[in-house]
Amino acid sequence: RSLVVVHFWAPWAPQCAQMNEVMAALAREHSQVTFVQLEAEAVPEVSEKYGISSVPTFLFFKNCQKVDRLDGAHAPELTQKVQRHAAGTAPVPGDSAKEELHARLKKLINAAPCMLFMKGSPKEPRCGFSRQVVEILNQHGVAFSSFDVFSDEEVRQGLKAFSNWPTYPQLYVAGELVGGLDIIKELEASGELDTICPKAQKLEDRLKSLINKAPVMLFMKGSKQMAKCGFSKQILEIMNNTG
């Protein structure tokens, strides 16, 4: 009944090596999940059977049956799929596990001044109620972060009991539950929504804040560890060489 994740990879593809590192990190986090690397070109009959046309490709198996698939080097999506499928094979939570879950839920609720637990993401809502809440918050210029409850079954079920609120979306401000779509609509109609929820910072103010974040600020493509264009790389080398 355990989850098995099979990575069809090729030694000549650098993105496969990157995803192998992601798998190694996930293996440390999910001891009950089995992770397997399979060189796609070394087992052509298996690759053909499962329609492997590119690498990396990930197949998910439960009870010897394929239950999911991921094509491409998408680390966040791989993490979400592993978490979601592993949740179904996890042991029943005891008291200590419940305490850990409550601590995790509190941390998520307080991850931002305004947190929306929804189905999908603000760019791609996966239910009509979530879509309506996102539209209302955006229309009012509310600064909010979100969590996709489809990405973690433990959070999805646990938060219902934790907040005593059986449906999604759920909106939290300053760590306190505001409510779902109906209550948000009522707050919008009464004008209270603008006083309760934090406003998004104007772009001009945000840019000023970023520019003055440090005595010397470099806006570049990539990071100091991994530049993503030649010009950025050259500037980094000049700045590092001159101290």
Side-chain angles (χ1 to χ4, degrees):
R1 284 179 291 178
S2 64
L3 175 67
V4 179
V5 182
V6 182
H7 177 199
F8 287 83
W9 73 294
W12 45 263
Q15 61 269 35
C16 288
Q18 294 169 5
M19 294 305 291
N20 279 337
E21 293 179 9
V22 174
M23 279 184 59
L26 288 170
R28 290 191 292 271
E29 186 178 345
H30 300 277
S31 57
Q32 78 276 22
V33 179
T34 302
F35 293 89
V36 180
Q37 297 174 19
L38 205 58
E39 190 175 337
E41 293 173 347
V43 284
E45 68 284 356
V46 179
S47 297
E48 184 177 351
K49 177 180 177 180
Y50 289 105
I52 309 299
S53 57
S54 62
V55 292
T57 293
F58 299 87
L59 298 185
F60 299 76
F61 293 88
K62 268 186 184 178
N63 299 321
C64 300
Q65 298 294 321
K66 183 166 74 73
V67 294
D68 207 345
R69 176 186 181 120
L70 174 64
D71 293 271
H74 307 294
E77 196 171 346
L78 176 63
T79 302
Q80 289 177 2
K81 284 180 179 290
V82 169
Q83 289 173 340
R84 184 165 69 247
H85 290 296
T89 61
V92 177
D95 289 340
S96 60
K98 286 180 181 176
E99 289 175 6
E100 287 179 11
L101 176 58
H102 278 204
R104 186 172 169 226
L105 292 174
K106 283 184 179 179
K107 189 175 180 181
L108 283 171
I109 289 167
N110 290 280
C114 186
M115 278 293 296
L116 177 65
F117 291 81
M118 61 181 291
K119 294 178 179 179
S121 67
K123 289 185 178 178
E124 293 184 6
R126 292 172 66 182
C127 82
F129 297 140
S130 293
R131 180 179 292 106
Q132 289 183 62
V133 169
V134 169
E135 288 173 354
I136 291 171
L137 295 179
N138 286 335
Q139 286 167 7
H140 287 262
V142 174
F144 70 97
S145 294
S146 67
F147 184 91
D148 179 5
V149 295
F150 281 144
S151 70
D152 193 316
E153 188 64 22
E154 187 179 42
V155 171
R156 181 183 178 185
Q157 299 302 333
L159 193 59
K160 292 178 183 179
F162 182 84
S163 61
N164 196 26
W165 195 273
T167 59
Y168 292 102
Q170 295 180 17
L171 182 69
Y172 292 77
V173 174
E176 297 293 331
L177 176 66
V178 174
L181 176 60
D182 289 342
I183 289 180
I184 291 169
K185 283 184 173 180
E186 290 175 10
L187 291 171
E188 181 187 30
S190 67
E192 292 179 74
L193 188 66
D194 290 320
T195 61
I196 292 174
C197 297
K199 293 291 185 178
Q201 191 179 22
K202 290 182 180 178
L203 178 59
E204 186 178 351
D205 294 335
R206 189 175 168 216
L207 292 174
K208 284 181 180 178
S209 176
L210 283 170
I211 289 168
N212 292 286
K213 192 175 180 180
V216 177
M217 279 293 293
L218 175 63
F219 292 79
M220 61 179 290
K221 294 178 179 177
S223 65
K224 288 194 285 186
Q225 291 74 31
M226 187 178 292
K228 291 187 176 179
C229 82
F231 298 139
S232 295
K233 184 179 179 182
Q234 289 181 58
I235 287 181
L236 277 179
E237 290 173 351
I238 291 169
M239 294 177 74
N240 288 332
N241 291 338
T242 55

